[in-house]
Short mmCIF file of all heavy atoms in Angstrom, two decimals:
data_model
loop_
_atom_site.label_atom_id
_atom_site.label_comp_id
_atom_site.label_asym_id
_atom_site.label_seq_id
_atom_site.Cartn_x
_atom_site.Cartn_y
_atom_site.Cartn_z
N GLY A 504 -18.97 6.62 -25.09
CA GLY A 504 -18.62 5.46 -25.88
C GLY A 504 -17.87 4.42 -25.10
O GLY A 504 -17.46 4.64 -23.98
N GLY A 505 -17.67 3.26 -25.71
CA GLY A 505 -16.89 2.19 -25.12
C GLY A 505 -16.20 1.46 -26.23
O GLY A 505 -16.19 1.90 -27.37
N PRO A 506 -15.65 0.29 -25.93
CA PRO A 506 -15.05 -0.49 -26.99
C PRO A 506 -16.06 -0.82 -28.08
O PRO A 506 -17.23 -1.07 -27.79
CB PRO A 506 -14.58 -1.75 -26.27
CG PRO A 506 -14.41 -1.31 -24.84
CD PRO A 506 -15.47 -0.31 -24.62
N ALA A 507 -15.61 -0.80 -29.31
CA ALA A 507 -16.54 -1.00 -30.42
C ALA A 507 -17.13 -2.41 -30.41
O ALA A 507 -18.27 -2.62 -30.80
CB ALA A 507 -15.82 -0.75 -31.74
N GLU A 508 -16.34 -3.38 -29.95
CA GLU A 508 -16.84 -4.74 -29.93
C GLU A 508 -16.01 -5.54 -28.95
O GLU A 508 -14.89 -5.18 -28.62
CB GLU A 508 -16.75 -5.37 -31.32
CG GLU A 508 -15.32 -5.44 -31.85
CD GLU A 508 -15.26 -5.98 -33.27
OE1 GLU A 508 -16.14 -5.64 -34.05
OE2 GLU A 508 -14.32 -6.73 -33.56
N ALA A 509 -16.59 -6.61 -28.47
CA ALA A 509 -15.83 -7.51 -27.59
C ALA A 509 -15.12 -8.53 -28.45
O ALA A 509 -15.44 -8.75 -29.61
CB ALA A 509 -16.78 -8.20 -26.61
N GLY A 510 -14.12 -9.18 -27.88
CA GLY A 510 -13.42 -10.23 -28.60
C GLY A 510 -12.05 -9.81 -29.01
O GLY A 510 -11.55 -8.75 -28.65
N GLY A 511 -11.38 -10.62 -29.82
CA GLY A 511 -10.01 -10.32 -30.26
C GLY A 511 -9.01 -11.07 -29.41
O GLY A 511 -9.34 -11.63 -28.38
N GLY A 512 -7.75 -11.04 -29.79
CA GLY A 512 -6.72 -11.77 -29.07
C GLY A 512 -5.54 -10.89 -28.76
O GLY A 512 -5.35 -9.84 -29.37
N SER A 513 -4.75 -11.32 -27.79
CA SER A 513 -3.64 -10.49 -27.36
C SER A 513 -2.38 -10.70 -28.20
O SER A 513 -1.65 -9.77 -28.45
CB SER A 513 -3.33 -10.76 -25.89
OG SER A 513 -2.99 -12.12 -25.68
N GLY A 514 -2.12 -11.95 -28.65
CA GLY A 514 -0.94 -12.20 -29.49
C GLY A 514 0.36 -12.01 -28.75
O GLY A 514 0.44 -12.05 -27.53
N GLU A 515 1.44 -11.75 -29.52
CA GLU A 515 2.78 -11.57 -28.95
C GLU A 515 3.00 -10.11 -28.57
O GLU A 515 2.45 -9.21 -29.19
CB GLU A 515 3.83 -12.00 -29.97
CG GLU A 515 3.85 -13.50 -30.25
CD GLU A 515 4.21 -14.29 -29.01
OE1 GLU A 515 5.17 -13.88 -28.31
OE2 GLU A 515 3.54 -15.30 -28.73
N PRO A 516 3.83 -9.86 -27.54
CA PRO A 516 4.12 -8.47 -27.16
C PRO A 516 4.67 -7.66 -28.32
O PRO A 516 5.45 -8.15 -29.13
CB PRO A 516 5.17 -8.64 -26.05
CG PRO A 516 4.92 -10.00 -25.49
CD PRO A 516 4.49 -10.84 -26.65
N ARG A 517 4.25 -6.41 -28.39
CA ARG A 517 4.67 -5.50 -29.45
C ARG A 517 5.53 -4.40 -28.86
O ARG A 517 5.20 -3.83 -27.82
CB ARG A 517 3.43 -4.90 -30.13
CG ARG A 517 3.75 -3.99 -31.32
CD ARG A 517 2.47 -3.45 -31.93
NE ARG A 517 1.84 -2.44 -31.09
CZ ARG A 517 2.15 -1.14 -31.14
NH1 ARG A 517 3.09 -0.70 -31.99
NH2 ARG A 517 1.53 -0.27 -30.36
N GLU A 518 6.62 -4.10 -29.51
CA GLU A 518 7.50 -3.01 -29.08
C GLU A 518 6.86 -1.66 -29.39
O GLU A 518 6.20 -1.48 -30.41
CB GLU A 518 8.84 -3.09 -29.82
CG GLU A 518 9.64 -4.35 -29.52
CD GLU A 518 10.42 -4.27 -28.22
OE1 GLU A 518 10.47 -3.16 -27.63
OE2 GLU A 518 10.95 -5.29 -27.78
N GLY A 519 7.09 -0.69 -28.50
CA GLY A 519 6.65 0.67 -28.75
C GLY A 519 5.31 0.98 -28.10
O GLY A 519 4.62 0.12 -27.58
N GLY A 520 4.95 2.22 -28.14
CA GLY A 520 3.68 2.65 -27.58
C GLY A 520 3.85 3.54 -26.36
O GLY A 520 4.86 3.46 -25.65
N ASP A 521 2.89 4.39 -26.13
CA ASP A 521 2.91 5.36 -25.03
C ASP A 521 1.58 5.30 -24.32
O ASP A 521 0.53 5.28 -24.96
CB ASP A 521 3.13 6.78 -25.57
CG ASP A 521 4.30 6.85 -26.54
OD1 ASP A 521 5.44 6.83 -26.08
OD2 ASP A 521 4.03 6.91 -27.77
N ILE A 522 1.61 5.24 -22.99
CA ILE A 522 0.36 5.19 -22.25
C ILE A 522 0.26 6.37 -21.29
O ILE A 522 1.26 6.94 -20.85
CB ILE A 522 0.18 3.87 -21.48
CG1 ILE A 522 1.23 3.71 -20.38
CG2 ILE A 522 0.20 2.69 -22.45
CD1 ILE A 522 0.91 2.56 -19.43
N VAL A 523 -1.00 6.72 -20.98
CA VAL A 523 -1.30 7.78 -20.02
C VAL A 523 -2.05 7.15 -18.85
O VAL A 523 -3.07 6.48 -19.04
CB VAL A 523 -2.16 8.89 -20.67
CG1 VAL A 523 -2.55 9.94 -19.62
CG2 VAL A 523 -1.42 9.54 -21.82
N PHE A 524 -1.53 7.37 -17.65
CA PHE A 524 -2.08 6.83 -16.41
C PHE A 524 -2.59 8.02 -15.60
O PHE A 524 -1.82 8.90 -15.22
CB PHE A 524 -0.97 6.09 -15.66
CG PHE A 524 -1.38 5.41 -14.38
CD1 PHE A 524 -1.38 4.03 -14.28
CD2 PHE A 524 -1.73 6.14 -13.25
CE1 PHE A 524 -1.73 3.38 -13.10
CE2 PHE A 524 -2.09 5.52 -12.06
CZ PHE A 524 -2.09 4.13 -11.99
N LEU A 525 -3.89 8.07 -15.35
CA LEU A 525 -4.50 9.18 -14.62
C LEU A 525 -4.63 8.82 -13.15
O LEU A 525 -5.21 7.79 -12.79
CB LEU A 525 -5.86 9.52 -15.20
CG LEU A 525 -5.87 9.89 -16.69
CD1 LEU A 525 -7.27 10.30 -17.13
CD2 LEU A 525 -4.87 11.00 -16.99
N ILE A 526 -4.09 9.67 -12.29
CA ILE A 526 -4.01 9.41 -10.87
C ILE A 526 -4.54 10.63 -10.13
O ILE A 526 -4.52 11.75 -10.65
CB ILE A 526 -2.55 9.07 -10.47
CG1 ILE A 526 -2.46 8.44 -9.09
CG2 ILE A 526 -1.63 10.29 -10.60
CD1 ILE A 526 -1.11 7.77 -8.83
#
Side-chain angles (χ1 to χ4, degrees):
E508 60 184 38
S513 60
E515 291 297 316
R517 183 180 73 87
E518 296 279 351
D521 311 284
I522 66 168
V523 176
F524 183 112
L525 302 184
I526 195 165

